[in-house]
Amino acid sequence: MAVIQTAGLSKRYQDKWAVDHLNLRVEQGDIYGFIGSNGEGKSTALKLVCGLASPAQGKVRISDCPVQDTVARRRVGVLIEQAGLYPDLSGRKNLILYAGLLGLDSPERQVTVGCWAGPL
Ligand SMILES: Nc1ncnc2c1ncn2[C@@H]1O[C@H](COP(=O)(O)OP(=O)(O)O)[C@@H](O)[C@H]1O
Ligand SMILES: [Mg+2]
């Protein structure tokens, strides 16, 4: 099943098309690389795909739901441009924080077990 599907997806900023008729199909389990020069529309395409920007034309479906649906939005996690880490926390503390946000059991123990045992 396609987890991401776009059809004719397009976005315009002023007089320029940032994304122009993007037809994309990403299957469940795929790792998909999105490569292009600066300014070619990668970030804009990702914002459209996850519903953070609205298209001028075209459609996005996430697991066969329109991206605007709550059901679709619950299935999407996205980091665009920035890593989303807290610079004032150590790597280990960032991992524990995110493990907690993801609802993992015993985040401290899981991060300790999964990490190199030296000081972080
Ligand atoms: N918020 C915005 N307002 C106006 N133009 C934008 C905006 N965001 C992106 N653009 C323009 O859209 C084009 C694609 O940008 P972007 O999606 O950021 O490209 P990429 O991520 O591939 O570097 C560029 O010409 C950029 O200047
Ligand atoms: Mg970008």
Side-chain angles (χ1 to χ4, degrees):
M1 183 189 50
V3 287
I4 300 173
Q5 200 164 4
T6 74
L9 193 63
S10 305
K11 174 82 176 174
R12 188 186 174 103
Y13 290 117
Q14 288 92 41
D15 58 346
K16 185 180 172 197
W17 290 99
V19 176
D20 190 3
H21 288 88
L22 176 67
N23 298 311
L24 183 70
R25 186 181 170 92
V26 180
E27 300 291 335
Q28 188 164 15
D30 281 358
I31 296 173
Y32 196 95
F34 212 39
I35 300 169
S37 303
N38 199 20
E40 285 195 349
K42 303 178 297 294
S43 296
T44 304
L46 291 177
K47 287 174 192 166
L48 293 168
V49 161
C50 63
L52 290 174
S54 48
Q57 297 168 19
K59 289 191 168 35
V60 179
R61 294 182 79 80
I62 304 289
S63 298
D64 221 19
C65 293
V67 68
Q68 299 84 359
D69 279 16
T70 310
V71 176
R73 296 206 174 191
R74 282 206 185 109
R75 299 184 64 99
V76 175
V78 65
L79 288 171
I80 298 179
E81 316 283 7
Q82 306 221 350
L85 298 174
Y86 288 92
D88 53 332
L89 296 183
S90 67
R92 183 170 183 275
K93 284 188 173 160
N94 268 288
L95 286 174
I96 291 169
L97 176 73
Y98 280 99
L101 291 175
L102 288 169
L104 300 186
D105 287 337
S106 315
E108 295 234 9
R109 189 184 58 77
Q110 297 224 29
V111 168
T112 304
V113 168
C115 283
W116 173 62
L120 290 174

